[in-house]
Amino acid sequence: MSAIPQERRVVTAIPGPKSQELQARRLAAVAAGVGSTLPVFTARAGGGIIEDVDGNRLIDFGSGIAVTSVGASAEAVVRRATAQLADFTHTCFMVTPYEGYVAVAEQLAELTPGDHAKKSALFNSGAEAVENAVKIARAYTKRQAVVVFDHGYHGRTNLTMALTAKNMPYKNGFGPFAPEVYRVPVAYGYRWLTGPENAGAEASAQAIDMINKQIGADNVAAIIIEPVLGEGGFIEPAKGFLPAISQFAKDNGIVFVADEIQSGFCRTGQWFACEDEGIVPDLITTAKGIAGGMPLAAVTGRAEIMDSAHAGGLGGTYGGNPVACAAALGAIETMKELDLNGKAKRIEEVMKGRLATMAEKYDIIGDIRGRGAMIAIELVKDRASKTPNPEAAAALAKACHAEGLLVLTCGTYGNVLRFLPPLVIGEDLLNEGLDIIEQAFTGA
């Protein structure tokens, strides 16, 4: 655990004067297209706290977008990465390999769903992992089409922009996009017209019908889905949807890819979110929580599929960097030792209980959803119409930020507040953060 005091402290306006000075420098030197949720410049971070350059300590309900699940300065991550830094920073695994890469691949084979033989390839970012999963699936199936889902998010490269559903801010003005990408409905229970109880069966039937009629199952290389949709609004596909899609893929020789970049590594109270309905994907993409904040990503899957790409066809200069691999082994060690799956389940229990009480008072809370420490509330104008209320989401986030609580928004309609606290956060900080959220509703 970090040496940073695990206490919220607001000593200046947020952002404070030193952050404002740095923001002026940033505006002069950094491209305007690189945004920030909150222009507070970090000095230190650990546990459930981010300390800024002005000495403010913010409660962290973002984890760097689900990256620092073990905290932003976890002892095992720092220890292992520091030791590796002292030995060597890089050789390129494709030139002279090293044990850390192999050890991470072994851990991924052990932890990911299914008892079949598995292999991995390591990369730098989630988008890179998804892009390589598509390459591998195409090499294996000798097919081209890729199927993705409404509200899905898969990255910012050209191919992964094509896979991503939401136009702003991810795609607008950046086309043309990669071809042979097809989008089908997802079982968004809260907004399914015939009700959440029908969403799983009806959405999967619609999606399968569209694949058969518009693409042809024999032309599909891969079906890619987030088991809990992240940027789209923390949508849990209604029960039955994922098993139906997975079975359709299996029946038609299609590679089923679980994009667990945001939901993996204990975030939902299981090692991987697809375990909730017993899904065993052919390929699984991971990043974010894998290495405690160091850039690392992976594609892990059935050995015969992973081996279908020709020698030299996969890789990259920095892929599986030795320092990042050391950090990943430290992060996984921490997850096991501290039972972060159990911690995530406890976070869900506390958060959903408190948020349900708020929902009884505030009609703009239309839905509470998510699993583990991946929880969201969807805000609406009123519950009858379910009209999205992005203005309320923005105002609530701003109010929380002013009080020293970092929260993030998301959702196709921009009306979802999402909560991704580090899994190591203390329960006192968790409840204090929820107090701030409740106060923000009072003023909304």
Side-chain angles (χ1 to χ4, degrees):
M1 181 62 70
S2 168
I4 300 168
Q6 295 295 294
E7 297 169 359
R8 179 177 67 103
R9 180 174 75 172
V10 179
V11 293
T12 71
I14 295 186
K18 290 181 180 175
S19 277
Q20 290 179 38
E21 285 174 24
L22 285 165
Q23 177 68 357
R25 286 172 55 191
R26 172 214 168 115
L27 291 173
V30 178
V34 182
S36 286
T37 298
L38 180 59
V40 160
F41 282 74
T42 305
R44 299 190 299 163
I49 292 288
I50 293 172
E51 185 174 292
D52 73 10
V53 290
D54 289 287
N56 298 300
R57 293 195 204 111
L58 284 69
I59 300 174
D60 182 9
F61 273 18
S63 299
I65 317 184
V67 168
T68 55
S69 299
V70 296
S73 49
E75 185 277 330
V77 173
V78 173
R79 167 171 43 83
R80 286 181 181 247
T82 302
Q84 180 57 53
L85 270 168
D87 288 340
F88 62 95
T89 60
H90 177 74
T91 65
C92 184
F93 191 76
M94 299 181 300
V95 178
T96 58
Y98 36 86
E99 185 183 358
Y101 189 119
V102 178
V104 170
E106 288 169 343
Q107 287 291 313
L108 287 164
E110 176 194 312
L111 295 170
T112 51
D115 55 8
H116 51 275
K118 297 175 205 159
K119 292 189 177 183
S120 292
L122 305 186
F123 304 99
N124 303 293
S125 69
E128 215 179 325
V130 172
E131 192 140 333
N132 277 278
V134 171
K135 286 167 58 176
I136 293 162
R138 285 173 168 166
Y140 178 71
T141 61
K142 306 294 189 284
R143 305 171 182 179
Q144 293 184 340
V146 178
V147 173
V148 288
F149 294 83
D150 281 343
H151 310 286
Y153 176 87
H154 300 288
R156 294 172 182 262
T157 60
N158 185 269
L159 174 58
T160 57
M161 279 191 293
L163 302 176
T164 291
K166 190 175 179 179
N167 175 51
M168 276 295 288
Y170 306 116
K171 302 167 74 167
N172 195 54
F174 297 141
F177 302 114
E180 288 302 310
V181 172
Y182 301 87
R183 196 172 321 283
V184 296
V186 75
Y188 188 169
Y190 177 64
R191 295 195 171 275
W192 197 255
L193 288 176
T194 60
E197 66 281 0
N198 299 317
E202 290 180 3
S204 57
Q206 278 186 28
I208 289 166
D209 186 60
M210 286 174 69
I211 294 167
N212 282 324
K213 299 285 196 307
Q214 297 182 22
I215 314 161
D218 290 349
N219 294 314
V220 179
I223 295 175
I224 307 174
I225 190 165
E226 303 159 275
V228 177
L229 283 72
E231 297 296 313
F234 282 26
I235 300 161
E236 290 184 89
K239 296 296 183 207
F241 181 82
L242 288 172
I245 298 295
S246 174
Q247 187 62 48
F248 171 77
K250 186 176 183 181
D251 292 344
N252 289 278
I254 299 167
V255 176
F256 184 83
V257 183
D259 178 343
E260 292 261 13
I261 286 156
Q262 191 163 168
S263 58
F265 287 101
C266 308
R267 178 50 61 181
T268 62
Q270 292 165 297
W271 279 101
F272 297 96
C274 59
E275 295 174 59
D276 184 63
E277 291 185 88
I279 304 296
V280 178
D282 297 311
L283 301 179
I284 186 164
T285 60
T286 52
K288 290 192 184 291
I290 192 173
M294 295 296 288
L296 189 69
V299 182
T300 303
R302 298 183 184 277
E304 68 275 16
I305 298 177
M306 291 298 297
D307 281 344
S308 60
H310 53 271
L314 303 177
T317 302
Y318 292 111
N321 170 270
V323 182
C325 286
L329 295 170
I332 292 166
E333 175 189 326
T334 304
M335 290 170 197
K336 290 177 176 177
E337 282 188 3
L338 299 183
D339 181 22
L340 293 192
N341 280 317
K343 289 273 195 344
K345 287 174 182 163
R346 176 60 185 157
I347 288 168
E348 176 183 354
E349 189 181 343
V350 171
M351 291 198 103
K352 281 193 169 172
R354 293 284 307 273
L355 292 167
T357 302
M358 292 180 215
E360 289 170 11
K361 298 182 195 171
Y362 304 109
D363 194 48
I364 63 170
I365 300 177
D367 194 27
I368 301 164
R369 58 177 178 254
R371 295 201 299 274
M374 190 174 181
I375 304 293
I377 49 176
E378 179 162 354
L379 303 178
V380 292
K381 305 280 188 188
D382 63 83
R383 286 183 188 156
S385 71
K386 298 185 181 178
T387 303
N389 196 341
E391 300 83 7
L396 284 161
K398 188 176 178 183
C400 289
H401 295 163
E403 292 299 317
L405 172 67
L406 179 63
V407 296
L408 306 173
T409 58
C410 69
T412 300
Y413 312 107
N415 66 323
V416 176
L417 274 180
R418 57 173 159 173
F419 310 119
L420 291 160
L423 305 182
V424 295
I425 194 171
E427 213 159 295
D428 53 342
L429 282 181
L430 186 65
N431 275 302
E432 189 176 355
L434 288 159
D435 291 342
I436 292 168
I437 293 165
E438 188 153 16
Q439 288 160 16
F441 273 108
T442 306

